[in-house]
Amino acid sequence: NRVHYGLLRRKDRLDLTTRGYPPTGTRLQVAVPFTGLETPSLASEFANPDIAIGLTILAFGYEGMRFSDVKAMLLLLKAELLRDVATPPLQREAFRRFQEWTKC
């Protein structure tokens, strides 16, 4: 499925690093162009930000969230929960959001 664009997986990041092109900055967060099946380009990114955002949304839809994305999201939610000390924990917005996300 990853022929024209996709998110960099751990394997992709390690491969690019060993080839002398360590991915940094936005290449770690947004969809990047691919040169062939399962082959991300060495250093290029999409020039138009609207295209990059749209393809990133599609890539997350096709590939799902990576472990690193889930971890970052939960750390942000935890920080938000700890910042709101004036409200009881069960009434905090971050707690309600987490409950909504994990509702079965």
Side-chain angles (χ1 to χ4, degrees), residues 26-73:
T26 57
R27 282 183 58 85
L28 296 173
Q29 304 297 323
V30 299
V32 297
F34 278 47
T35 58
L37 181 62
E38 297 289 325
T39 310
S41 68
L42 292 177
S44 63
E45 297 181 16
F46 292 106
N48 186 324
D50 295 334
I51 299 296
I53 292 168
L55 292 178
T56 300
I57 292 169
L58 288 173
F60 275 115
Y62 289 132
E63 300 176 32
M65 291 182 73
R66 300 168 292 192
F67 177 78
S68 60
D69 299 320
V70 173
K71 183 178 177 182
M73 177 194 63

